[in-house]
Amino acid sequence: SQQGEEDPQALSIQEGENATMNCSYKTSINNLQWYRQNSGRGLVHLILIRSNEREKHSGRLRVTLDTSKKSSSLLITASRAADTASYFCATDALGGYNKLIFGAGTRLAVHP
Amino acid sequence: KAGVTQTPRYLIKTRGQQVTLSCSPISGHRSVSWYQQTPGQGLQFLFEYFSETQRNKGNFPGRFSGRQFSNSRSEMNVSTLELGDSALYLCASSMEGGETQYFGPGTRLLVL
């Protein structure tokens, strides 16, 4: 069963707008990662945030982590049509030996 | 560095048959994990191998098995295929002690 829940399930915005996706999880974690998937292809790693970090930036991406609420958010600023994809959060549980637990994902559509 | 490669990319089988999928990790990566992605269940962890040893296993029936070779390449096998095994099978590799998993393009299996 999946640990994470993501919302919204789908998001439709215009180019230039910001997109925010949220993720919740259930157990204690080592880290939380965000991945992007284009049209049922492989997953592309976007960013990793460790359990002792609260915020991390990478280019147009900003990730926050609140371990007390067991939740994370991914913000994509100034969205582009090329950002259209599904976004998944994945948690690496304590003692998990690289066992990632994925959320259901958010489908993002960015319209020109 | 070459990324994770998976073969074959597409496969069509009939119920009752068996199938073997192959994954070559990024050079130097010794951990290989396998995931199944379906529209209904999302991304689910199958198993993880490190140095030819299975360290972790997900909640899948015994029909799903895997192995890892001394060069870190991995195979997974599904015996007695069922219609519900139709899915995108993804493998990911990571460095020893590494936190980030790098995914291959996947093998899309269709069971008729």
Side-chain angles (χ1 to χ4, degrees):
Chain A
S1 62
Q2 294 175 15
Q3 165 166 242
E5 296 292 332
E6 291 177 67
D7 78 270
Q9 290 187 339
L11 184 58
S12 182
I13 59 175
Q14 298 295 125
E15 265 190 331
E17 294 181 338
N18 295 341
T20 300
M21 291 159 260
N22 302 295
C23 165
S24 62
Y25 57 93
K26 297 177 183 175
T27 63
S28 296
I29 61 172
N30 286 317
N31 60 63
L32 186 145
Q33 305 177 48
W34 285 89
Y35 286 86
R36 184 185 75 223
Q37 185 178 42
N38 292 82
S39 300
R41 297 183 182 179
L43 299 169
V44 174
H45 184 262
L46 296 175
I47 194 165
L48 178 151
I49 186 165
R50 297 186 179 89
S51 60
N52 61 353
E53 297 175 312
R54 293 296 166 257
E55 186 171 314
K56 205 161 182 181
H57 297 255
S58 177
R60 294 185 296 114
L61 306 179
R62 172 178 169 257
V63 169
T64 62
L65 178 64
D66 186 336
T67 53
S68 66
K69 295 181 179 178
K70 291 187 168 56
S71 68
S72 174
S73 68
L74 171 68
L75 168 67
I76 304 174
T77 60
S79 296
R80 306 165 181 167
D83 295 328
T84 295
S86 291
Y87 292 81
F88 297 89
C89 69
T91 52
D92 187 356
L94 292 175
Y97 286 126
N98 291 330
K99 176 182 179 179
L100 291 180
I101 306 298
F102 283 87
T106 293
R107 292 189 312 277
L108 173 66
V110 182
H111 303 284
Chain B
K1 249 184 192 177
V4 177
T5 59
Q6 292 186 246
T7 57
R9 293 292 309 279
Y10 303 93
L11 207 48
I12 300 176
K13 292 285 187 179
T14 56
R15 279 181 300 172
Q17 288 187 310
Q18 75 167 17
V19 67
T20 298
L21 311 181
S22 180
C23 172
S24 292
I26 292 171
S27 177
H29 287 193
R30 296 170 63 189
S31 170
V32 174
S33 301
W34 288 89
Y35 296 85
Q36 181 197 63
Q37 185 178 27
T38 60
Q41 298 298 315
L43 281 152
Q44 293 187 286
F45 173 81
L46 280 158
F47 28 65
E48 188 260 1
Y49 287 87
F50 181 83
S51 290
E52 302 178 66
T53 299
Q54 185 182 90
R55 295 195 299 185
N56 210 341
K57 190 177 191 301
N59 295 324
F60 280 82
R63 300 185 297 106
F64 291 81
S65 63
R67 59 178 176 168
Q68 186 180 35
F69 302 95
S70 59
N71 62 357
S72 295
R73 189 177 69 85
S74 178
E75 290 181 346
M76 67 162 282
N77 183 277
V78 188
S79 62
T80 319
L81 284 165
E82 301 177 358
L83 296 179
D85 297 333
S86 294
L88 179 67
Y89 290 89
L90 295 160
C91 83
S93 74
S94 63
M95 296 175 62
E96 180 178 1
E99 297 169 300
T100 300
Q101 291 189 36
Y102 297 90
F103 282 78
T107 294
R108 188 165 294 281
L109 171 65
L110 176 62
V111 182
L112 302 176

